[in-house]
Amino acid sequence: MAAATDESSANVLFEKLRSPWMDENRFAPEDTSICFRMKQDLCENNSELDNDIIHCTGFDPKNLSFILNSLSVLLMPDPEPNPFVDGPRQRANGMGKIVLRNYHSLTELPLDELAAIFPNISELVVYKCVNLNDISSLFSSFPNLRFLKLEGCHEIKSLDFLSHAPPHGLQLSVLEINDCGLVYCPSWERAIQVLAANLRYLLLVNLPKLTQLPAEIGNLQNLEYLCIHNTSIRHLPQEIGRLEGCAMTLVGDKMICPPIASRVSMKAMRTYFSRKRLRVFKGLVRLAILFGRSRRRAVERIYMPGGIGYKRCREHFLETSCEHARKE
């Protein structure tokens, strides 16, 4: 029964690829994408339906690999292709984006199967695959991936998957990690080294277990925007000051940062902290002056004529003098 369901699902997707769904005057091939998500999720998000996305609903996440294998058989090249009409294979090759939503039982993405059907994917969004913990072969399957968003994947705890980059490096320019179990570990250093060449946007959002950033983040010289929102990071590394042309959004209850929620430049951050240090220095100087005055007043009050200390010393001297006089 399950196999029949999987085969019918693959047939539905094949029919969508075969139909002239794309208006060439409105959408370019690189704008097209395919969205695998649960039927219930699709019903709850009717407002998100876009004309340039093929929505595939009702797929059993346990049998997603079987569906993709069945689809790959259906997408075999046509022995007599029509040069004037794009077939399903050509349309699959034109897909540029894949969205996987709410596949709770997936622990590993069927990347090889996806790459066999959609070889030219440049954007991947994985949403609420809560048990997903292994995407190590991501960049070997999609070497041209430029956009990666992981949201609600609570078992993604490190950036080790970036360490499996191909020898020629990564093309990734946008990396967004939102509401995952990410923690700091030594693999971050290797990940930053891999990302340094092309990364333009880095967004770290809703990561309560992330407590620090590596010093190597200063090597992301091409970074244009850095967003750190709602993490457990308190102090940013000093090396972040090397990101001269990078705009930043820094928001968090624990972070020592400018009280600005919108984008702020590195120059503005330096100005803010310079003024803050200057205010602290002025406060210390003022405190030193006040302390000196208080000390002088205390000395005058205690030891000068008329002071408490002077009176007590005089009384004690008089008492001892009288005692000596009586003894004599």
Side-chain angles (χ1 to χ4, degrees):
M1 187 66 181
T5 303
D6 299 337
E7 186 175 355
S8 62
S9 300
N11 286 327
V12 170
L13 180 55
F14 178 74
E15 290 299 326
K16 290 184 178 182
L17 287 172
R18 189 168 63 177
S19 63
W21 58 274
M22 185 179 66
D23 184 354
E24 295 182 358
N25 295 325
R26 293 185 59 196
F27 303 108
E30 59 270 16
D31 294 330
T32 61
S33 62
I34 187 163
C35 182
F36 295 91
R37 51 180 166 182
M38 299 301 293
K39 187 174 183 179
Q40 180 181 3
D41 176 61
L42 183 63
C43 295
E44 294 174 353
N45 295 276
N46 290 326
S47 60
E48 297 183 9
L49 298 180
D50 298 321
N51 292 329
D52 59 334
I53 297 180
I54 293 185
H55 300 278
C56 306
T57 64
F59 287 171
D60 185 353
K62 295 181 180 179
N63 303 314
L64 182 58
S65 295
F66 186 89
I67 296 170
L68 294 174
N69 288 329
S70 301
L71 182 61
S72 64
V73 175
L74 294 173
L75 288 176
M76 293 295 291
D78 191 351
E80 296 180 0
N82 186 340
F84 301 102
V85 179
D86 288 342
R89 179 70 267 176
Q90 286 76 15
R91 283 185 169 62
N93 291 342
M95 291 290 176
K97 180 178 179 180
I98 289 180
V99 181
L100 292 171
R101 299 174 62 92
N102 289 333
Y103 284 89
H104 303 298
S105 62
L106 280 181
T107 59
E108 182 179 359
L109 293 181
L111 295 171
D112 294 336
E113 293 90 337
L114 287 170
I117 301 171
F118 310 107
N120 297 317
I121 293 298
S122 60
E123 299 183 27
L124 176 63
V125 177
V126 183
Y127 178 75
K128 286 192 176 180
C129 296
V130 293
N131 290 313
L132 180 66
N133 55 31
D134 185 8
I135 52 175
S136 56
S137 60
L138 176 62
F139 294 101
S140 60
S141 300
F142 298 114
N144 297 320
L145 197 66
R146 297 179 180 273
F147 179 98
L148 176 61
K149 179 178 179 179
L150 303 173
E151 181 174 353
C153 302
H154 301 153
E155 293 300 319
I156 298 293
K157 299 180 179 180
S158 71
L159 298 180
D160 289 340
F161 62 92
L162 294 173
S163 303
H164 298 82
H168 56 79
L170 294 182
Q171 302 297 319
L172 195 67
S173 60
V174 179
L175 175 60
E176 179 177 351
I177 303 179
N178 188 343
D179 191 21
C180 296
L182 199 65
V183 297
Y184 176 79
C185 60
S187 63
W188 275 72
E189 301 175 3
R190 166 63 178 162
I192 295 297
Q193 181 181 355
V194 171
L195 293 170
N198 296 298
L199 192 67
R200 299 290 187 273
Y201 297 86
L202 176 60
L203 297 93
L204 304 173
V205 182
N206 297 325
L207 304 174
K209 296 182 180 180
L210 185 61
T211 57
Q212 68 180 92
L213 291 177
E216 286 75 11
I217 197 170
N219 297 332
L220 299 176
Q221 294 299 311
N222 294 320
L223 198 66
E224 299 176 5
Y225 178 57
L226 173 64
C227 176
I228 303 176
H229 187 284
N230 194 20
T231 67
S232 295
I233 297 174
R234 182 169 175 80
H235 301 282
L236 296 175
Q238 294 183 354
E239 289 76 6
I240 205 170
R242 300 204 298 262
L243 304 178
E244 293 289 346
C246 180
M248 300 184 186
T249 297
L250 307 173
V251 180
D253 296 335
K254 300 180 180 180
M255 184 179 296
I256 299 177
C257 62
I260 304 173
S262 59
R263 296 191 180 190
V264 58
S265 65
M266 179 56 64
K267 183 178 180 180
M269 283 187 61
R270 288 175 176 169
T271 302
Y272 170 81
F273 285 112
S274 296
R275 291 176 177 174
K276 191 171 183 179
R277 286 194 296 268
L278 183 60
R279 286 196 296 269
V280 172
F281 178 73
K282 288 181 177 179
L284 292 175
V285 172
R286 190 172 299 172
L287 181 62
I289 294 174
L290 294 175
F291 177 76
R293 292 176 180 173
S294 300
R295 184 179 179 183
R296 286 196 298 272
R297 284 197 295 269
V299 170
E300 291 174 358
R301 185 177 179 184
I302 294 176
Y303 299 108
M304 296 296 288
I308 297 175
Y310 176 82
K311 290 181 180 179
R312 289 182 178 177
C313 289
R314 183 179 178 182
E315 293 174 355
H316 180 69
F317 175 76
L318 294 175
E319 290 178 357
T320 55
S321 299
C322 292
E323 291 179 357
H324 285 293
R326 291 170 185 171
K327 290 179 180 179
E328 293 177 357

